[in-house]
Amino acid sequence: LKSDSRCQRVMGCGAGKTEAKQSHQQPASETPPETQKPAEPTQAVLASSPNGVKAIKDGIQALQASGTSVDLHELQLSSMGIEDAGVALLAAELPSSSTLETLNLGVNSVTDVGVEYLAKSLPATRLKMLSLERNNFTAAGVARLVRSLPPNLEKLMLGRNRIGLEGTQAVAEFLLQRQQPFHTLGLGFAELKDTGAEAIAPALSKLKVLDLSGNHLGIKGSAFLAEKLRGGTMLEILKLESDGVGDEGAKALADAIATHKTLQELVLRRNSITDVGARSLSTMSASRSLIMLDLLDNSITDAGASVLLLKFSGKPLRKLNLEVNELSSGMLA
């Protein structure tokens, strides 16, 4: 394998763990203002304001009163300090829009009370994507929400809420009862643990994208997911960042993914994986579908990286991220 080919595979090649970590820890929003794309005509992105929801409600009502058709497809209301009262205002207006497909209420202060307001209006909508990440609701709110989701919904983001095992069980039941497949489910940092992984595992057969990052799944949780993957699913992307997977969990996942027919991307960032786990993961080179493996910020040295590079050489894998590991600066020389 030529060194230039390896550099295409290993991001930050030639940088040690300390150096790479410094370059990696940059603010996520570094995109210069001039390069950011403006909102599309069918998208409303409101500026942060305590009256943001009331403003959009009044605007829609005014347009309707004037006889003008509102053709709104995407409504972005994240990080606006919206509380339950604001959700009540918005929920009352949602059924009036026959075109709205995306609603983002992430990073607000919505509790189970606000979720109840939302749930009453959701069945009458045509939403395809709903994000409620980083709010303040619990398993009770999740159970109420999933009973009211519109039939067209295909993406649901609930991460960074106190969902736990009971909330995960409610989501899994919703997915298993649903006739058509579901595209994306986000349950990152939602206090699932290994029992939550066991609860959601049967629903992998209905999903294309699943994010379970930050849930302390551990070896047992990884094994539950691997067992379901081994039986065959339609899953294409699996994110397990900061889940305590370790070398044993990596081996369980690798054994299942090596013969999996659809998985394209696997994220295992920050999982204390060493060269032992790297050697296990190299067996996934037998996969015909895997094109991205993200192992950022683990404990892999030159020896483990060499095995991965050798095994995946000439395989479908197009991206192998080994940034912030314990690689020497001269490894790829």
Side-chain angles (χ1 to χ4, degrees):
L1 188 63
K2 296 182 180 179
S3 59
D4 59 345
S5 175
R6 289 185 178 185
C7 284
Q8 293 172 0
R9 291 283 183 88
V10 183
M11 297 175 60
C13 58
K17 187 159 188 169
T18 302
E19 179 184 350
K21 182 171 287 188
Q22 290 175 345
S23 65
H24 174 71
Q25 292 176 340
Q26 297 295 328
S29 55
E30 285 189 334
T31 306
E34 64 269 20
T35 64
Q36 294 178 349
K37 294 182 180 180
E40 298 294 333
T42 56
Q43 178 189 53
V45 182
L46 302 186
S48 179
S49 164
N51 298 316
V53 175
K54 189 176 186 305
I56 194 66
K57 174 177 178 286
D58 291 345
I60 293 175
Q61 287 180 332
L63 286 169
Q64 290 176 335
S66 67
T68 303
S69 174
V70 179
D71 188 20
L72 183 65
H73 289 260
E74 183 172 344
L75 184 55
Q76 297 286 346
L77 293 167
S78 63
S79 304
M80 294 188 61
I82 297 172
E83 299 180 351
D84 296 334
V87 176
L89 289 173
L90 177 64
E93 195 61 42
L94 280 179
S96 66
S97 175
S98 61
T99 59
L100 187 65
E101 296 181 345
T102 297
L103 176 60
N104 185 354
L105 285 167
V107 199
N108 283 293
S109 301
V110 182
T111 72
D112 291 342
V113 175
V115 172
E116 175 68 27
Y117 289 133
L118 196 60
K120 291 179 180 179
S121 297
L122 284 176
T125 70
R126 298 185 179 182
L127 286 180
K128 292 184 178 180
M129 194 286 277
L130 174 63
S131 177
L132 288 165
E133 291 185 308
R134 294 194 183 207
N135 277 279
N136 196 30
F137 53 85
T138 68
V142 173
R144 177 67 180 92
L145 180 71
V146 295
R147 291 197 299 268
S148 306
L149 294 176
N152 289 339
L153 196 78
E154 52 189 30
K155 296 182 180 180
L156 180 62
M157 313 304 292
L158 300 175
R160 296 187 183 271
N161 287 287
R162 293 171 292 135
I163 293 174
L165 175 58
E166 293 184 6
T168 306
Q169 289 172 331
V171 173
E173 183 178 353
F174 155 72
L175 292 171
L176 291 172
Q177 291 178 350
R178 181 184 170 96
Q179 293 183 351
Q180 62 268 49
F182 202 77
H183 192 279
T184 302
L185 175 63
L187 292 177
F189 298 88
E191 303 178 4
L192 270 62
K193 301 183 179 179
D194 57 352
T195 52
E198 183 179 18
I200 201 65
L204 263 61
S205 59
K206 293 294 186 74
L207 293 167
K208 288 190 175 183
V209 180
L210 176 61
D211 185 357
L212 295 179
S213 298
N215 280 301
H216 306 290
L217 305 184
I219 298 171
K220 289 179 63 176
S222 302
F224 287 132
L225 298 176
E227 182 180 359
K228 185 60 182 179
L229 287 170
R230 192 176 294 109
T233 70
M234 59 184 290
L235 199 66
E236 296 178 357
I237 299 175
L238 179 60
K239 300 181 179 181
L240 300 175
E241 178 179 348
S242 302
D243 268 325
V245 172
D247 291 335
E248 290 187 52
K251 184 180 188 309
L253 291 166
D255 289 346
I257 294 172
T259 57
H260 198 277
K261 296 181 179 179
T262 62
L263 194 75
Q264 298 177 21
E265 300 183 11
L266 177 63
V267 177
L268 290 174
R269 295 182 168 200
R270 303 183 178 93
N271 273 293
S272 302
I273 296 171
T274 71
D275 291 344
V276 174
R279 284 193 288 272
S280 296
L281 292 171
S282 71
T283 63
M284 295 190 301
S285 59
S287 169
R288 297 182 179 180
S289 60
L290 190 67
I291 59 175
M292 192 280 279
L293 176 58
D294 191 342
L295 294 171
L296 177 143
D297 201 1
N298 280 282
S299 300
I300 300 171
T301 71
D302 291 6
S306 296
V307 173
L308 288 167
L309 290 166
L310 178 63
K311 290 288 188 178
F312 281 109
S313 177
K315 302 295 182 179
L317 193 78
R318 296 202 295 264
K319 180 178 179 182
L320 174 60
N321 188 356
L322 289 171
E323 278 190 298
V324 201
N325 275 277
E326 299 174 3
L327 306 182
S328 68
S329 58
M331 180 205 165
L332 299 176

